[in-house]
Amino acid sequence: MNTPASAIAPELQRYAELDQRLLAAVRGIHILPTVAWPASLESRMIEAYGKGQLTLPEVGYTRPDLAAARAELAAIEAAAGGRDAQDIDPLGDYLRRTAESWRIAAEMLEAVGTAAVTAPSIALYGKPGDLIPGSQRSNLDAARYFVELSDELGADLLADDVNENIPASTLRDELARTLDEFFGAGMIKVEVDAELTAKAAAGATRIRLRDGTRFSEYDRHQLLAHEAFVHSLTALNGRQQPLLTSLARTSPRVTATQEGLAVFAELMSGAIDIARLKRISLRILAIDMALNGADFVEVYRYFSACGQSVADSFHSAQRVFRGVPLDGGAAFAKDNVYLSGLLTVHTFFRWAFRQQRMDLLRNLFAGKLTLHDVIALQPHFASGAILPPRWLPPWMQHVHGLAGKLAFSVFINGIHMNRVHGDELLQSV
C-alpha cells in the first residue's frame, strides 16, 4: 500500500522516513537462503545415509559482505532514539529494536560457516534452556514433556504419511479456491514448483507446493492455518499500513511471535496433532545436543532413533546445523522459536482474555509484530496512525468461540494433574 507522504501526520513523518531507510538497508539480508544447503548435496547425502554411510557432509557457504547495511542499521538505531534514550516514542522504540535485530542478523550471516553464528542466532531466537514466561520451567522442559507424552500415547511420527493421497495439482486448486474466497481473487497465488526442495513454502502473496508430492488432509489444514492465515495474512495486513510499511516484512525479532502465533493458530483451528508437537520438541532437544557437543551424525541418529525416516532425520539434523560447523558445539537456533513462541503466545492470549483486552489480540494480526509491540504501540492504534487488521483468521473472527476456548484454558490451568487420582474421577461419573 503506497500512501502519499502528505497523508502522514507531520510529527510522525520522521518515523516513516526511518522506516523506509530500514527497508532499504535490509534489502540484501537474506537469512535462510544464506545458510541453506544445496539441494544436490541433500539428495546425495540422503542416499548415502540410507545405505548406512554416515559421514559428515561437506558444506560450503558464500559469506556476504554486509558492512554497509550494518553501518546504516546502526545509524537508524541512533536516529530512532537509541537504547538509552529517555521518553522514546513507541514508534522510535519499534524502529530501534527492529534495526538492532537486523544488524545482529547481518553479523550472524557474515560469520556463516563458523561457530560464531551460534551466539547471534541465540540472541535472535533464544536457546533451549530459556525459561518460559510466567514459569520456572524451560523450553527444554516443555520439549521433554511433549516428547514423553507423545511416546506414552503411541503417536507415530510417520502416521501423517498414511493418508497422503492428494496430488500437488489438486491441493493447489483447492487452496486457490479457499484463498480467493477469503482474501479476494489473485491476492495469494498457489503454484506447483518442480524445483522446490521443501514440501511446501509460503510467502506474502505466493504459496508453492513441490511437484510430484502427495499431501494429506492434515497438510492442507496446516498450510491454511499456519502459512496462509498467519504468515501471509499478517504480511498482507502489514502492506495496508500507511506509516510503518516494514510491518509487512518478518524481521528477526518478530520470528518467535510469528511462528508461535502460527502454531497457536494450528491449535485453535484443530490443525495440529501430538506428532507435530513431538517434531517441534525434538528439534529443541537436538539444538541442546548440538550446543553440548553432539555432531551432525549423532543428531541424525537421535532423530532416527525417535522414529523419523532417513530423509526426515537428515533434514531435521540439517535444520540444527544450518550455517555452522558440523563437528559439534555449534547450532543455528531458529527452531527454538516454534515451541517457545507457542507457549508465550498461548500465555499472552490467556492474559489478554483475563484483562478483557481482545483488541490486543486482534491488533496482533495488523502486521509482523511482537507481543511487546502490540502493547507498546496501542496509542498509535488508538490514534489511527497504525491501522487495525483488514483480515483476521477464521478462528479469530468467531470471538465467542475463541473466548470459550480461552476461558476453559484459564480455568483448567489451575487444576494440578499430580493431585488428581483416577479413582476420584471414576467416582464422579
Side-chain angles (χ1 to χ4, degrees):
M1 179 176 181
N2 296 317
T3 300
S6 59
I8 299 172
E11 65 273 16
L12 302 181
Q13 187 62 44
R14 80 178 192 93
Y15 297 117
E17 293 169 358
L18 283 174
D19 189 67
Q20 291 303 306
R21 283 178 59 185
L22 174 66
L23 285 173
V26 305
R27 196 165 290 134
I29 303 176
H30 306 289
I31 296 176
L32 295 184
T34 302
V35 301
W37 293 14
S40 58
L41 171 66
E42 294 178 20
S43 300
R44 189 169 64 252
M45 293 305 299
I46 290 171
E47 182 179 357
Y49 272 49
K51 298 175 181 177
Q53 300 168 1
L54 306 184
T55 59
L56 293 181
E58 295 181 5
V59 188
Y61 299 96
T62 301
R63 192 171 297 173
D65 179 2
L66 299 172
R70 285 189 290 105
E72 172 66 351
L73 288 165
I76 293 169
E77 287 180 64
R83 182 181 294 274
D84 299 323
Q86 299 296 316
D87 300 322
I88 184 173
D89 185 281
L91 293 171
D93 189 50
Y94 161 85
L95 290 164
R96 179 191 65 76
R97 290 170 182 264
T98 303
E100 179 185 43
S101 76
W102 279 112
R103 179 174 54 77
I104 293 171
E107 294 170 355
M108 176 179 72
L109 296 181
E110 287 183 315
V112 70
T114 76
V117 165
T118 301
S121 81
I122 288 174
L124 294 174
Y125 308 123
K127 62 181 184 300
D130 290 342
L131 294 181
I132 301 164
S135 170
Q136 292 304 306
R137 305 185 71 183
S138 68
N139 299 326
L140 202 56
D141 294 327
R144 289 173 179 146
Y145 168 79
F146 285 116
V147 170
E148 291 171 3
L149 179 62
S150 176
D151 290 341
E152 288 175 7
L153 295 174
D156 185 350
L157 285 174
L158 303 179
D160 292 338
D161 297 338
V162 174
N163 296 314
E164 288 189 334
N165 54 10
I166 305 175
S169 58
T170 301
L171 183 58
R172 174 197 60 200
D173 295 342
E174 291 179 0
L175 291 178
R177 282 194 297 271
T178 301
L179 297 177
D180 282 352
E181 290 174 3
F182 187 88
F183 291 104
M187 288 291 290
I188 298 179
K189 295 181 180 179
V190 186
E191 303 172 352
V192 174
D193 187 345
E195 300 299 318
L196 189 64
T197 55
K199 193 171 184 178
T205 59
R206 184 174 64 154
I207 293 176
R208 292 179 293 156
L209 309 173
R210 187 173 64 206
D211 192 18
T213 303
R214 288 185 172 268
F215 297 82
S216 65
E217 274 298 309
Y218 173 79
D219 291 327
R220 187 176 71 83
H221 288 306
Q222 188 187 30
L223 279 167
L224 285 172
H226 185 114
E227 303 291 355
F229 293 146
V230 173
H231 293 325
S232 296
L233 180 145
T234 51
L236 290 173
N237 282 332
R239 291 186 176 190
Q240 303 287 315
Q241 295 296 339
L243 178 61
L244 298 176
T245 53
S246 62
L247 288 175
R249 181 159 186 183
T250 305
S251 67
R253 63 181 286 265
V254 306
T255 302
T257 299
Q258 271 286 299
E259 297 299 351
L261 187 59
V263 180
F264 182 76
E266 295 178 48
L267 189 64
M268 290 293 102
S269 57
I272 197 169
D273 60 18
I274 192 67
R276 162 80 163 155
L277 287 173
K278 180 175 180 177
R279 283 191 293 272
I280 292 170
S281 299
L282 286 175
R283 294 172 190 169
I284 293 176
L285 297 174
I287 291 171
D288 188 64
M289 288 176 60
L291 291 175
N292 284 295
D295 67 15
F296 182 90
V297 171
E298 291 174 288
V299 171
Y300 165 85
R301 283 178 169 147
Y302 172 71
F303 282 116
S304 181
C306 290
Q308 292 192 359
S309 67
V310 171
D312 287 345
S313 296
F314 186 90
H315 284 132
S316 295
Q318 175 192 15
R319 293 174 71 101
V320 175
F321 286 92
R322 286 176 288 185
V324 303
L326 306 184
D327 54 358
F332 183 68
K334 180 179 180 290
D335 278 352
N336 186 70
V337 305
Y338 290 88
L339 186 56
S340 65
L342 168 62
L343 295 169
T344 305
V345 166
H346 194 284
T347 300
F348 181 79
F349 266 73
R350 290 189 293 117
W351 173 84
F353 171 75
R354 294 185 70 168
Q355 300 297 316
Q356 299 183 36
R357 293 299 307 273
M358 299 298 285
D359 59 312
L360 295 177
L361 303 182
R362 288 189 291 270
N363 288 343
L364 195 54
F365 294 90
K368 306 290 188 176
L369 294 157
T370 67
L371 302 180
H372 169 88
D373 294 334
V374 82
I375 295 174
L377 292 170
Q378 275 305 293
H380 294 292
F381 276 105
S383 71
I386 301 178
L387 300 178
R390 176 177 174 182
W391 293 284
L392 286 171
W395 56 271
M396 273 295 297
Q397 296 175 18
H398 305 294
V399 66
H400 294 296
L402 174 62
K405 291 178 181 178
L406 293 174
F408 184 81
S409 178
V410 168
F411 179 79
I412 211 72
N413 192 55
I415 297 176
H416 299 281
M417 288 303 295
N418 60 339
R419 299 177 188 172
V420 176
H421 299 284
D423 54 352
E424 295 175 349
L425 293 175
L426 290 173
Q427 292 171 11
S428 69
V429 294

